[in-house]
Amino acid sequence: MLFAEASGDGLEHLLAVGNDKTYEYYLFSQLLQKSGLVDTKTGLMPSLAAVGLRLIAFVPTNEAISQNIAKIPGCGSLKIASDYTVTGTLSSNNKTLLANYLRQYFISSLMNSFTSYPYPGSDCKGTFLSMSGENLSIIDNGETFSIQKDGANAIPVSTKYFGLPFAFSDGCMQLIDGIIE
């Protein structure tokens, strides 16, 4: 093999151990860890990812999470500092609530068929089953796009990166400018 995948490459690892406060997905990574979805010994997310599967992750920006932390199930006891440090502990019940909530941001190739990743004008649009078992729609108008949970407001994908996904060997990540309510 000419180029071998390095240990720790991929979307799963990126989200599981996102420990740089300057990353726009830092708070989402912290919530994944607080919820128990990240195995702290391996730095992986075994309940969300498996070998050979691809994920599409719609990740709220740090600003979206910090402005809406009180609306996120299980997060009532958490506090976010101005440098995006998360403090507080979660009860077992709140960890479960948070984990179930976070699963709706992921679409897996185990539960859906997709041949491309979402970006404006791509073929990846329509309604998909999220990892929480709820429908999540990708709405594309050709120039920008958004996601929408059944019966909720549409959440725009960040235009900071021109709607292009961060692509990895095991999936892609799109930053969104809101949270799923």
Side-chain angles (χ1 to χ4, degrees):
M1 177 182 298
L2 186 58
F3 295 102
E5 184 175 326
S7 175
D9 280 354
L11 175 66
E12 177 187 13
H13 181 75
L14 175 90
L15 290 175
V17 299
N19 57 3
D20 185 329
K21 294 177 186 176
T22 63
Y23 294 165
E24 292 188 67
Y25 56 87
Y26 178 71
L27 282 177
F28 191 77
S29 294
Q30 299 308 297
L31 293 181
L32 287 169
Q33 292 172 21
K34 291 271 188 191
S35 73
L37 288 173
V38 175
D39 180 332
T40 56
K41 292 180 180 153
T42 65
L44 299 175
M45 301 183 298
S47 68
L48 290 176
V51 175
L53 294 182
R54 291 184 303 145
L55 294 173
I56 298 173
F58 291 98
V59 177
T61 61
N62 292 335
E63 287 182 13
I65 291 173
S66 64
Q67 293 171 1
N68 295 288
I69 192 70
K71 297 178 183 177
I72 298 174
C75 290
S77 65
L78 298 181
K79 302 285 185 259
I80 300 174
S82 60
D83 70 349
Y84 297 128
T85 302
V86 178
T87 58
T89 56
L90 297 178
S91 67
S92 173
N93 184 52
N94 283 339
K95 278 186 177 187
T96 300
L97 288 171
L98 179 56
N100 289 338
Y101 171 78
L102 293 174
R103 285 184 180 99
Q104 64 189 336
Y105 289 94
F106 293 90
I107 296 171
S108 168
S109 63
L110 178 66
M111 304 164 74
N112 300 276
S113 177
F114 50 87
T115 57
S116 65
Y117 293 136
Y119 59 89
S122 80
D123 291 333
C124 190
K125 55 189 160 202
T127 302
F128 298 87
L129 193 60
S130 73
M131 296 291 289
S132 68
E134 298 178 73
N135 287 332
L136 189 64
S137 296
I138 299 173
I139 304 158
D140 180 358
N141 72 9
E143 293 181 21
T144 61
F145 69 106
S146 58
I147 63 166
Q148 184 174 25
K149 180 178 155 184
D150 283 350
N153 291 332
I155 304 164
V157 170
S158 176
T159 57
K160 183 174 183 176
Y161 301 100
F162 308 101
L164 297 174
F166 294 89
F168 302 91
S169 60
D170 58 348
C172 80
M173 172 178 69
Q174 283 283 7
L175 293 170
I176 57 175
D177 292 327
I179 64 165
I180 297 173
E181 294 186 48

